[in-house]
Amino acid sequence: MSDAPAAASHRAPRAAPLGARLGAAWRHPNPVWTRELRQSARLTRTPLVLAVVTGLITLLMGTIGGLATGHVEPARVGSALHQTFFSIAFAVVAWLAPAIASSTIASERSGRTWEALQLTGLGAKTITRGKFLAAYSYVALYVVMLAPVGALSFLFGGVTATEVLLAYLLLLVFAAVAVAFGLGISSKFSNPAVAVVVSLLTSVPISLFVYLGLGLGLSAAMHQVWPEIPSATPVWLPTAYVRARLDLNYLALLIALPLALAAGVTWFFYEVCVANMAGPSDDRSSGLRRWFLVNTTLVAIASLLPVMLLPRDAHVGAIVALVAFLGYLVFGCLLFAGEPLGPSHRTQLHWERHRASRWTRWMGPGLMPALGSLLTLGLTGLGLQTLVGIGMAWLEGSQLAALQVIVWGAYATAFFLFLAGLTALSRARAQGPTAPRVVLLLTLFVVTAGPWVVAAIAGVLADGSSSAIVSAAPSPVFAAVMASLLDSTERHRELALAVGSAAILGWALLGVALLGAGAARSRRLTQAHHAARRELEQALRAEEEEALDPTEAPGAG
Amino acid sequence: MSAPAARRAGAPAIRVRHLWHRFGSRDVLRDVNLELGHGEIFGFIGPNGAGKTTTIRILATLLEPMAGRVEVDGWDVSVDPEEVRRVVGYMPDHAGVYEHVTVREYLEFFAEAYRVGDLGVVDASVELTDLGKLQTRMVSALSKGMKQRLQLARILLHDPKVLILDEPASDLDPRARIEIRDLLLELRELGKTVFLSSHILTELSDVCTSIGILERGQLVVAGPIGELAERLAAARAERPAARAESEPGEAPGDRLGAPPVAPPVRRRLKLRVLGDAHAVLPLLHGGGGVLGVQASAGGLLLVEHAGGEAFVAEVVRYLVTQGVMVVGVEPERNELERLFLEVTQGDLQ
Ligand SMILES: Nc1ncnc2c1ncn2[C@@H]1O[C@H](COP(=O)(O)OP(=O)(O)OP(=O)(O)O)[C@@H](O)[C@H]1O
Ligand SMILES: [Mg+2]
């Protein structure tokens, strides 16, 4: 059975006022950070490479500018240069920052300097922060180095100085996310080359997705909300800041959402890094649990944004929100599939020593407390979203829409219960985090896609009878079929709705049963482990007392 | 409810009880028991793969014991690793150092990381390890021996009570080895407890106050050197036959009393006589207990024998009565090497 870990050393001071902490940080900067800065300041190779990249970008910008001048009006050239430059800068940061960050912790391990660092008692958090600051300083320095090149577009007009400045600021915010991502990867590896390759293999597709989806794709959507924002411009956010009119949408979509997204992702990778660097008996759970608590609340709120964006079909927005939130909850299941069954001996002792509150213990290592938080947040979120959807449908005056929202909400809730139950049982039966995660992913795939394959085969066998579709009822996607059949007059409507409802009930009941079985098994194993531990302690103590008691010692007196 | 006592007062420097560790399905440490008083220098000897590094990593809180209890200065390594880290200075085998920093910067970094506050400790440990002249040198430009000294300087920064050194002298030339040895003696004078592992025996014999021999994860012998030698001698006298077969599952404690005994060990005695050594050869050849004699220029005689100190005294007395002018007697005594070979015979991998 794997064990879990505990909160920072009991010597850790109670959270001091922020001012005092900042003062202390100023007087005693993170030693890992200063050391890394010093080391990289002495490296000559990397700045050389960066200078070459900068030169190439300048050349490209100059060529575009030179070729376009004379043919096209200068404002359009400036705008095109602005888009080009920040697209390239985005790519450079998206690939460079994770690559730099991913080698740092891994190279301490491979260079055998890791043990000495660990034994200084700095702690995983301080080391992570130091590494983060070091990699971030480096990347930020590079972004600053690029500044004159980016300002070139400004000369042609078409973009304002504020836009360029804001674009740089956003680039710096994005660099923080990218560095945290690289650190998260680094904390898993002990070979820097492998870590860099893995970080590139993941950051390249992710950055493409972000660029095309959140850049080009979202710019089209934003054009709908604010026609002032040109569509099909990947670097739209700085422009939006300048041109969009200030209203609730502005605050929510342009400020709160991007900042929450950046903070949530950075914080997640920070906690992952800290957990990966801690020992097997340390508390590796509390940090991630705190993150999950805050982040899930934010995600639940943010997932209601479609309701705001689609004022005419608000109930559809609520359904989109339900599906998106369910997707997030699947991630939560995968995350907690790595949770230890219970606190380690050390964590337990430290809790007893410090009379840890029930809240601290609930937020500490343990599969069932973790799934408890997941279920509480998940069910509340899904319930609220369903209620919002019903409310929107009511405002629209459509009973059908309300029923559709209910069908989606019910299916999502039941299926979430099943997934949480599956997580509980598969984790309780496995030795480590890998097996339950694989089981979860495979089951998800089979259950989502499998029933449709069956339905297709059944449809062929039944000679195209439309009622064959009911074989797909166990797939959560069937909620869409149910919702669309609500107002139809098709013959198989009654059957499909009945089978669908049965599937919903089935998933919910199965989920509850799996949760019960997982909880029971997890409790049994934890108790057995602690009993064995106590027995061992007793045996050791007995032996000690025997050795101390002179009357027992042979030949005494 | 009262909190369990964290630290045992008056505890020995290191205490290992019923320590087991397993990698995969292989038991790497099997019921190791060990106790080490403050101020001792303990030599932890064993063939490659015996489990020395594993034991050491557990002592240094880098690995968690699977069963048993391990305490350093009264702190349990699996309950209070942070406290153990405060009292321990650990030097890994083949450790790395940060490149592109100077010796001084390297040490200052660790002083800050240990939060020692006063950077005067850097000067103190530089002085102790004799790195004064190298302070501005880049770490990457140091030789192996210097790097090893730098590591020693590093682990002294937070003034630990217990030093744990994994093969501190491997890869070092004889001169650097002597320097490290002298440093260890100096540290002992400062009241430090030193736990060091090695498979090079000679580097330890004159610094260690006690030793432990680990073989396939079991501690076969442990105790002060002198005491061990006596015990071995006694066991040899009792059972002069061959080495006793060790029974499977036998607890190390049982073996302590009756250690396995090797066939007669060849020991060497160096004698210096006035005049031609070759003339003395006939006197010694065929003598009881003499296994071989060699003479060389300068009146040097090399006698191989299987006896103890009494035998040496007897040889000298006999030669003197025969009119040989004996001017020097130098029994080649490497107790440790002998102990090691006797205990681990045949198991050196
Ligand atoms: N992380 C590990 N995973 C699996 N096996 C390991 C691991 N570390 C050590 N071992 C095995 O445990 C055994 C003991 O190793 P250990 O390093 O403690 O030996 P040692 O006495 O220090 O040897 P040496 O003199 O070569 O340094 C070896 O057989 C080794 O292969
Ligand atoms: Mg070793």
Side-chain angles (χ1 to χ4, degrees):
Chain A
M1 188 175 71
S2 90
D3 266 347
S9 153
H10 57 280
R11 292 218 175 173
R14 293 258 149 237
L18 185 67
R21 272 189 290 169
L22 284 179
W26 175 256
R27 282 189 303 277
H28 304 284
N30 189 307
V32 178
W33 179 37
T34 47
R35 197 241 318 136
E36 297 242 338
L37 280 189
R38 199 168 270 150
Q39 278 176 281
S40 48
R42 292 210 176 96
L43 275 177
T44 47
R45 189 170 30 109
T46 336
L48 218 66
V49 174
L50 292 186
V52 170
V53 174
T54 313
L56 286 177
I57 296 176
T58 318
L59 211 65
L60 182 73
M61 297 273 295
T63 316
I64 296 176
L67 287 179
T69 322
H71 309 284
V72 192
E73 58 178 295
R76 285 195 47 205
V77 179
S79 170
L81 277 182
H82 177 69
Q83 294 290 331
T84 314
F85 171 76
F86 280 103
S87 298
I88 296 174
F90 169 82
V92 171
V93 170
W95 303 340
L96 184 78
I100 287 179
S102 64
S103 68
T104 56
I105 297 168
S107 68
E108 295 256 9
R109 293 212 180 98
S110 76
R112 296 286 316 266
T113 51
W114 176 238
E115 291 135 321
L117 186 59
Q118 228 181 341
L119 290 184
T120 56
L122 271 183
K125 286 184 184 170
T126 314
I127 297 175
T128 305
R129 282 196 286 263
K131 293 278 177 192
F132 176 87
L133 284 173
Y136 187 71
S137 315
Y138 202 81
V139 176
L141 199 71
Y142 181 64
V143 171
V144 170
M145 203 165 120
L146 278 177
V149 191
L152 273 183
S153 55
F154 178 55
L155 297 178
F156 291 83
V159 280
T160 63
T162 324
E163 267 172 69
V164 176
L165 205 68
L166 283 171
Y168 270 115
L169 278 180
L170 287 174
L171 198 59
L172 285 176
V173 171
F174 175 69
V177 182
V179 166
F181 170 73
L183 278 186
I185 290 187
S186 195
S187 64
K188 260 286 177 208
F189 290 89
S190 48
N191 182 334
V194 176
V196 169
V197 169
V198 170
S199 92
L200 283 177
L201 283 181
T202 42
S203 65
V204 169
I206 292 177
S207 63
L208 280 178
F209 171 79
V210 168
Y211 184 75
L212 295 177
L214 300 186
L216 274 176
L218 261 191
S219 77
M222 289 299 146
H223 183 66
Q224 306 286 316
V225 185
W226 291 287
E228 304 89 331
I229 303 174
S231 74
T233 45
V235 189
W236 57 267
L237 192 51
T239 316
Y241 280 139
V242 176
R243 299 192 190 166
R245 64 187 177 282
L246 193 67
D247 58 6
L248 195 63
N249 272 354
Y250 186 106
L251 292 179
L253 292 179
L254 299 185
I255 303 213
L257 188 64
L259 279 186
L261 189 68
V265 176
T266 308
W267 184 9
F268 172 71
F269 284 112
Y270 168 75
E271 294 293 355
V272 165
C273 187
V274 170
N276 280 341
M277 290 205 299
S281 273
D282 290 321
D283 177 357
R284 299 153 109 172
S285 305
S286 300
L288 272 169
R289 197 80 60 74
R290 267 194 299 275
W291 171 82
F292 187 76
L293 217 66
V294 175
N295 201 58
T296 308
T297 312
L298 290 180
V299 169
I301 295 171
S303 63
L304 285 174
L305 281 176
V307 181
M308 275 169 66
L309 288 177
L310 300 168
R312 252 167 288 153
D313 279 317
H315 79 277
V316 178
I319 291 173
V320 172
L322 273 171
V323 174
F325 191 56
L326 180 63
Y328 175 78
L329 292 176
V330 170
F331 163 74
C333 288
L334 286 170
L335 181 68
F336 291 136
E339 190 68 16
L341 295 191
S344 69
H345 180 59
R346 182 193 303 166
T347 306
Q348 193 110 41
L349 276 180
H350 283 237
W351 281 349
E352 277 164 26
R353 234 186 247 171
H354 305 294
R355 306 210 174 87
S357 63
R358 293 183 132 233
W359 175 251
T360 305
R361 291 170 195 238
W362 172 258
M363 291 292 283
L367 178 63
M368 292 325 285
L371 289 178
S373 325
L374 176 70
L375 282 166
T376 312
L377 290 169
L379 294 178
T380 314
L382 290 173
L384 279 179
Q385 281 165 338
T386 310
L387 283 182
V388 168
I390 294 173
M392 289 296 155
W394 183 70
L395 284 180
E396 290 165 31
S398 158
Q399 198 189 352
L400 174 71
L403 280 176
Q404 283 177 338
V405 172
I406 291 175
V407 164
W408 275 100
Y411 214 127
T413 306
F415 198 66
F416 167 56
L417 267 177
F418 162 70
L419 287 178
L422 185 66
T423 310
L425 189 63
S426 58
R427 177 63 189 91
R429 293 194 68 88
Q431 296 288 325
T434 318
R437 283 182 180 148
V438 171
V439 167
L440 212 56
L441 282 174
L442 275 181
T443 311
L444 199 62
F445 176 72
V446 169
V447 165
T448 309
W452 291 100
V453 176
V454 175
I457 295 170
V460 171
L461 291 181
D463 224 1
S465 153
S466 58
S467 60
I469 201 167
V470 299
S471 330
S475 168
V477 185
F478 193 72
V481 176
M482 288 173 74
S484 70
L485 282 178
L486 279 172
D487 66 337
S488 89
T489 50
E490 287 203 44
R491 258 183 306 124
H492 63 276
R493 174 177 180 267
E494 302 299 323
L495 179 65
L497 288 182
V499 177
S501 308
I504 292 176
L505 193 67
W507 284 131
L509 289 179
L510 185 58
V512 171
L514 287 172
L515 267 172
R521 190 180 163 86
S522 156
R523 191 173 330 112
R524 205 172 54 244
L525 287 176
T526 316
Q527 277 170 358
H529 175 77
H530 285 296
R533 188 96 214 188
R534 268 196 304 279
E535 207 173 313
L536 185 75
E537 292 290 316
Q538 263 161 14
L540 283 173
R541 209 169 309 131
E543 193 190 89
E544 212 155 277
E545 275 156 17
E546 207 168 289
L548 284 179
D549 189 352
T551 56
E552 299 265 308
Chain B
M1 185 183 56
S2 80
R7 177 172 183 262
R8 291 195 322 126
I14 288 177
R15 190 150 177 270
V16 177
R17 295 182 54 212
H18 302 293
L19 171 62
W20 291 76
H21 200 82
R22 179 175 292 166
F23 285 120
S25 59
R26 214 178 129 212
D27 283 321
V28 170
L29 293 176
R30 293 180 286 169
D31 201 23
V32 172
N33 289 279
L34 188 70
E35 198 165 309
L36 188 56
H38 290 276
E40 287 202 57
I41 298 191
F42 180 82
F44 197 41
I45 309 169
N48 288 133
K52 304 183 294 292
T53 300
T54 307
T55 312
I56 283 180
R57 287 176 63 83
I58 289 174
L59 283 173
T61 74
L62 291 168
L63 201 65
E64 285 180 30
M66 291 194 164
R69 185 181 294 166
V70 177
E71 290 169 353
V72 180
D73 196 33
W75 295 104
D76 189 326
V77 293
S78 45
V79 179
D80 291 300
E82 294 94 354
E83 307 297 339
V84 174
R85 287 171 188 190
R86 251 181 268 268
V87 294
V88 156
Y90 164 63
M91 186 164 103
D93 55 339
H94 312 297
V97 285
Y98 296 115
E99 317 261 299
H100 307 295
V101 288
T102 65
V103 166
R104 175 114 204 145
E105 286 166 351
Y106 179 86
L107 292 174
E108 280 178 356
F109 163 68
F110 278 99
E112 275 170 41
Y114 274 115
R115 307 248 185 263
V116 286
D118 176 15
L119 288 186
V121 293
V122 173
D123 295 312
S125 82
V126 158
E127 171 123 1
L128 197 63
T129 47
D130 212 8
L131 286 167
K133 288 204 199 89
L134 303 172
Q135 286 191 66
T136 52
R137 189 85 81 83
M138 279 290 160
V139 167
S140 45
L142 296 184
S143 72
K144 260 186 196 150
M146 290 172 188
K147 278 188 186 153
Q148 204 77 334
R149 267 195 281 158
L150 181 61
Q151 298 269 357
L152 266 174
R154 165 175 68 72
I155 66 170
L156 292 171
L157 288 169
H158 61 304
D159 194 24
K161 289 188 192 166
V162 180
L163 298 175
I164 301 178
L165 318 174
D166 200 354
E167 313 218 358
S170 63
D171 307 336
L172 295 188
D173 64 28
R175 194 193 149 83
R177 217 170 272 177
I178 289 169
E179 282 172 4
I180 294 264
R181 203 186 54 190
D182 291 347
L183 189 55
L184 289 179
L185 288 171
E186 225 171 302
L187 290 173
R188 190 183 173 210
E189 256 152 48
L190 292 174
K192 310 272 184 214
T193 308
V194 183
F195 184 108
L196 62 135
S197 83
S198 180
H199 48 236
I200 304 169
L201 303 163
T202 39
E203 81 187 14
L204 299 178
S205 53
D206 39 4
V207 280
C208 291
T209 54
S210 56
I211 59 158
I213 295 178
L214 192 71
E215 188 198 330
R216 291 201 211 143
Q218 286 189 308
L219 195 67
V220 283
V221 165
I225 287 193
E227 200 180 292
L228 282 183
E230 272 169 34
R231 246 191 291 174
L232 277 176
R236 207 176 16 251
E238 261 172 46
R239 283 195 282 170
R243 174 179 192 226
E245 278 298 305
S246 64
E247 322 221 336
E250 194 181 15
D254 301 340
R255 297 177 72 173
L256 261 178
V261 178
V265 178
R266 283 180 167 253
R267 234 162 286 162
R268 297 201 293 188
L269 169 66
K270 241 192 257 177
L271 288 174
R272 234 156 61 80
V273 296
L274 277 189
D276 186 8
H278 292 273
V280 188
L281 283 182
L283 290 175
L284 289 172
H285 265 309
V290 175
L291 302 172
V293 196
Q294 275 178 345
S296 50
L300 220 58
L301 275 166
L302 212 55
V303 184
E304 281 192 290
H305 66 97
E309 306 222 310
F311 173 85
V312 177
E314 179 61 28
V315 168
V316 175
R317 197 189 58 81
Y318 172 70
L319 289 179
V320 171
T321 55
Q322 296 296 314
V324 180
M325 313 280 242
V326 180
V327 289
V329 183
E330 203 184 316
E332 198 181 70
R333 263 171 29 112
N334 193 332
E335 289 292 298
L336 214 53
E337 190 144 1
R338 204 189 78 234
L339 286 175
F340 182 69
L341 287 175
E342 284 191 20
V343 171
T344 64
Q345 206 174 40
D347 290 321
L348 281 166
Q349 290 145 14

